[in-house]
Every structure is written in structure tokens, then in C-alpha cells.
Amino acid sequence: PEPEPFTTRYPLFPMSRTLLIRTAATLALITCLSHIVGTFMTVPPEQMAMHTTIATMKATMVPMPVGAARSYMQILDGNNLCTSLFLMVCAVLLFSIASLPSAAATNRVILILALGLAGFAIVSAMYFFPIPTALTGIASVLAIIARFRSHG
């Protein structure tokens, strides 16, 4: 006899595979857009300690192994942009494959993206704050569940 389908064994998530993936993609996209907004928000003038820190980061140059030295602020900005780009790529890929039939290649891509989002959630929990941790963690769980769904 064939094994029992994942949806029967785990009825907690009665959502279709497509909806699970699109929800995961939406959570990744919300995290991405929130990160972009947070990256470029201005610091209120009354937060003098933050302005002092930013000035120090802009003034402190870091020698690069290849190429010109960069300030800590440039490195932070680049890291922030890479973070947003990663989240955007996850969201776009998930949206792109949401309606595709379950196939080995599609399932591998979903699993890889789910693991990437899980890693992002772990790093967010360790170094950032709860909102990106929750959004990317939930997105990862939904993508993993969708990965094991065989239909719709």
C-alpha cells in the first residue's frame, strides 16, 4: 500500500501547496520591503549616540584584501543591500514556482529556499529582533510543508 499523504497525516495546515508557497513568498517579501525601509530610515536628531556611532562608522576605514578601503558604514550598507536582495530572490523564486506541479526539481528548489529562510530566521533571532525572525521562520515552515504536498 502507498504511504499516507502528508496532508492526511498533518491536517493542521489544510492550505493547498500553491497557497502555502505564495504565503511563504509574501512573508519573505514583507520582510524584504521592511528591511529596505529600515535600512534607509533617517535617524531622529535627538538620538545623539546613534549619530555619533554613524559618524564613527563613516570615518573608520577598513582595508580590503583587494581594491580600495571601505568605511564600516559602506560595509554595513552593502550587507543590508545583500540581505534585501536575498529576501527578494527568495520571494520571487517562491512566487515563480508556486503554481508549478510537484516535481523533483521544483521540490529541491523549495527545500533550498526553505532552508535559506530558516537560516535567515536563526541569524535574525541571534543578532536582530523578533519580527524578521517570526516572518522568515514561518515562511520557512510553510515552504517545508508545501515541499511535501503533492498537489494544488
Side-chain angles (χ1 to χ4, degrees):
E2 285 193 35
E4 194 176 343
F6 185 83
T7 53
T8 308
R9 287 185 293 167
Y10 301 101
L12 179 62
F13 293 97
M15 298 164 56
S16 70
R17 174 184 167 94
T18 300
L19 187 56
L20 285 166
I21 295 170
R22 286 184 180 154
T23 303
T26 300
L27 292 172
L29 185 61
I30 289 169
T31 308
C32 171
L33 296 174
S34 300
H35 189 271
I36 291 169
V37 168
T39 295
F40 295 106
M41 280 177 41
T42 57
V43 177
E46 62 272 7
Q47 293 184 3
M48 290 308 297
M50 183 66 87
H51 284 285
T52 302
T53 301
I54 290 170
T56 301
M57 289 177 71
K58 286 179 178 178
T60 306
M61 301 304 286
V62 178
M64 296 285 116
V66 177
R70 302 274 188 238
S71 71
Y72 273 106
M73 196 67 203
Q74 288 173 312
I75 294 169
L76 179 64
D77 286 342
N79 197 22
N80 281 332
L81 292 171
C82 283
T83 298
S84 295
L85 181 63
F86 169 76
L87 290 165
M88 180 65 72
V89 167
C90 285
V92 168
L93 279 172
L94 286 168
F95 276 123
S96 301
I97 62 177
S99 59
L100 294 178
S102 180
T106 307
N107 288 336
R108 273 194 298 275
V109 171
I110 292 169
L111 186 60
I112 291 167
L113 292 170
L115 293 174
L117 289 167
F120 191 94
I122 291 166
V123 171
S124 292
M126 293 170 57
Y127 296 102
F128 305 126
F129 54 98
I131 294 171
T133 301
L135 293 177
T136 55
I138 293 168
S140 174
V141 168
L142 294 176
I144 288 170
I145 291 169
R147 175 350 195 145
F148 291 101
R149 292 268 165 99
S150 60
H151 55 39

